[in-house]
Amino acid sequence: MKNKGRTVINEYEINNQFVYITITAKNKEGVYKFNVSHYDEINQYIWTINPEGYARSHYKEKIIYLHRLITKCSSDMVVDHLSRDITDNMDENLRVCTKSENGMNRGIQINNKSGVAGVYYGAREKKWIANIKLNGKTKRQIGRAHVW
């Protein structure tokens, strides 16, 4: 298949419950999983991989993302991969939610020194500080300690 002058290969492996699609495009390759019930609709598109690793297609001057097509997500909402694995597009791994709700499913940030979400070292206090956040706002400081 050709997509804007580049060779794109979409190979499907169908099982009873799910489908694997291997996407090979522009020196990238990824394997994405989705429920077999979505195969007929998904098979109509030529899929590529965007720089962040999401499966996408171009259709009528628009970009369609695999996870958004599966969930029929409206433009004012986002799709959360519950397992944080963007290649797992099974129905039970996807939920339509607000951007704020999606942010609550984030993993530990790369610059986290404590290894625990909500715990950071306060340089001014020279103590480890633990906070609870709700909707991106600190709700309560639950403790401070010299040693973590």
Side-chain angles (χ1 to χ4, degrees), residues 107-120 128 148:
I108 294 174
Q109 291 184 299
I110 196 165
N111 63 347
N112 183 303
K113 304 280 192 250
S114 71
V116 179
V119 177
Y120 68 95
W128 290 95
W148 179 253

Side-chain angles (χ1 to χ4, degrees), residues 12 17-19 33-45 47 66-72 89-92 94:
Y12 293 86
Q17 300 291 324
F18 55 87
V19 177
K33 182 179 178 181
F34 60 90
N35 294 76
V36 71
S37 59
H38 302 293
Y39 174 76
D40 289 338
E41 184 174 22
I42 290 168
N43 189 38
Q44 296 177 37
Y45 299 93
W47 297 96
L66 181 63
H67 57 284
R68 294 184 71 83
L69 179 67
I70 289 169
T71 60
K72 310 287 189 244
N89 292 282
M90 298 291 287
D91 291 337
E92 58 271 16
L94 302 176

Side-chain angles (χ1 to χ4, degrees), residues 6 10 24 34 46 56 80 89-90 96 99 146:
R6 292 180 280 232
N10 292 170
T24 306
F34 60 90
I46 299 170
R56 71 176 180 192
D80 184 14
N89 292 282
M90 298 291 287
V96 175
K99 187 175 181 179
H146 288 288

